[in-house]
Structure formats: C-alpha cells, structure tokens
Amino acid sequence: MIDALKQIGNSIVLVGPEKDYRFLDGWGHVKKYIPNAGEDYITANSWTHTQTGSNTWTNSATAGEDFILTTPATDFAGYSSQLLGTQFIVASGKPFCITGQFKLSDATQTDFLFGLSDVDTTLTAASSSHALAVGGSALFFSKLDGVTAIKANVYVGGAAVATATLNTVMDTSFHTYDIYSEDGVTVKFAFDGVDVACFSTGLPVLSMTPSLSFRAGEGVAKTLTAKDFKAVQVFS
C-alpha cells in the first residue's frame, strides 16, 4: 500500500495508505503545518513555547523521528507549545486532520496533551497540582500525572464540553494520535488508527492551532519523542 492523492473540492491532499482521513500534505486552498527536515522546534520562529524549568528540545538523531523533549529532574518541568497563528477551524465543508506519533519515557509520572487549541500559554498546570489548564477552546488528547488513562477532550471557553476515556492506557511505546473531520461537522479522535471518540455538538467555533504540552510528574527527568507531526485543512 502506498500514499495516494485525493481531490477535495478545488484542492488536492496526500492521504496515508491505511486511513484516507489522515492528510499528509495538501495543495490548493489549504492550510498546513508540515515540519521541515532539520527544523529546530525550540528556536523555530513558527513556534512559541512557555517553559517551566530548564528543558532541552532537540532534533532527534534517529531517522524518521522529529524531535525529543527532555525535562530536568524537577516536578512540573516541561513545555506548553503552540504553532504561531490560529489557522485551523471546525467549519462545515472544511475537512482537516492533525496527526502525530508520540512516545513517553514514563507512562504514569507525566502530563501529556496534543491537539488543537486557541492561543493558550499554559495548557497544563505548571504548579500546585497536575491538571488540565486549558483556558479557551480546544480539541485534544490528554494524560495526566499519576494515571495512565488517555482521554479525548472538547473544550469551549475553558470548560469541558465532552470527554471520552480510551479503553487503551498509556505505555512507553509509540502511538499515533489523530484528530480529524471529514465533513467539518463531526470531529473524530483516533488512536493507532482506530476511532475512539466522535463529537458533533458543542464544538469550538474559534480558530485554533496545533498544540503540545509535556511535563514531568516527579523529580525525575522525562522524555517525549515525536514523529510524523503534521496538520492539514482543506478550505475549498
């Protein structure tokens, strides 16, 4: 099986061999984030990072991987990171997909969030207690310190509108996270290519941006490794 081109309206998207909702690239009236080879995420002008502690974020030395985030050995150390600008939106007739593969060094003593959010400098709490701190509208996967449960979340105005807990729990292997909409009306969450949640009411109406947060849950250094991180939306 190979990647294939698919026409949507006046645009063309490259879709993956297993799932045709997973947009890998796009041309025409599209908005997209496709990492450049060798891009330094921590200093890239396209990203903003709100940091707690002296973390290191480096390009991976392993072929096929994008970057590795390493926290210091301090509780709550880590990042809330967002692509600058808010170019993605849930709107009828505008399909999208944000996808990424991530591996955590510790399945329990970490905070993890990945998805789309409007501008928010602290997606996960940076002190006091390990919790979500999303203050606006967002669609995201999350896992908090002390548990291995993974959740699919819809937030509007800083409040949870819908949450679904996956049957699969976090471990220390790579997993693929997809948030997508084929019609711009219904949003689906897929874990390792299997749909795990579907929401069609109470969805955000504000534009959003790819967002990632990772923190240590104890005084031991933690790492997050990422690959195949991209977002594509078709507007016509």
Side-chain angles (χ1 to χ4, degrees), residues 88-174:
F88 298 86
I89 192 168
V90 180
S92 179
K94 297 175 173 56
F96 70 86
C97 180
I98 177 171
T99 183
Q101 294 185 50
F102 300 96
K103 178 174 68 174
L104 281 58
S105 64
D106 189 320
T108 305
Q109 303 299 129
T110 49
D111 297 327
F112 168 74
L113 180 154
F114 169 69
L116 294 169
S117 172
D118 60 9
V119 177
D120 193 332
T121 58
T122 310
L123 297 162
T124 55
S127 62
S128 299
S129 63
H130 289 273
L132 296 175
V134 175
S137 296
L139 306 165
F140 60 95
F141 286 97
S142 66
K143 186 220 77 75
L144 293 173
D145 174 54
V147 299
T148 55
I150 307 168
K151 295 185 177 183
N153 307 270
V154 178
Y155 267 56
V156 174
V161 172
T163 301
T165 301
L166 280 58
N167 292 327
T168 304
V169 296
M170 184 65 75
D171 57 26
T172 56
S173 300
F174 270 113

Side-chain angles (χ1 to χ4, degrees), residues 40-120:
D40 186 345
Y41 288 77
I42 194 58
T43 60
N45 292 331
S46 58
W47 281 87
T48 180
H49 308 278
T50 302
Q51 180 175 198
T52 302
S54 299
N55 309 273
T56 58
W57 191 321
T58 58
N59 290 331
S60 175
T62 302
E65 296 176 1
D66 292 334
F67 60 82
I68 298 174
L69 168 66
T70 304
T71 74
T74 307
D75 197 12
F76 291 100
Y79 282 105
S80 282
S81 306
Q82 292 188 305
L83 187 68
L84 291 173
T86 51
Q87 301 184 14
F88 298 86
I89 192 168
V90 180
S92 179
K94 297 175 173 56
F96 70 86
C97 180
I98 177 171
T99 183
Q101 294 185 50
F102 300 96
K103 178 174 68 174
L104 281 58
S105 64
D106 189 320
T108 305
Q109 303 299 129
T110 49
D111 297 327
F112 168 74
L113 180 154
F114 169 69
L116 294 169
S117 172
D118 60 9
V119 177
D120 193 332

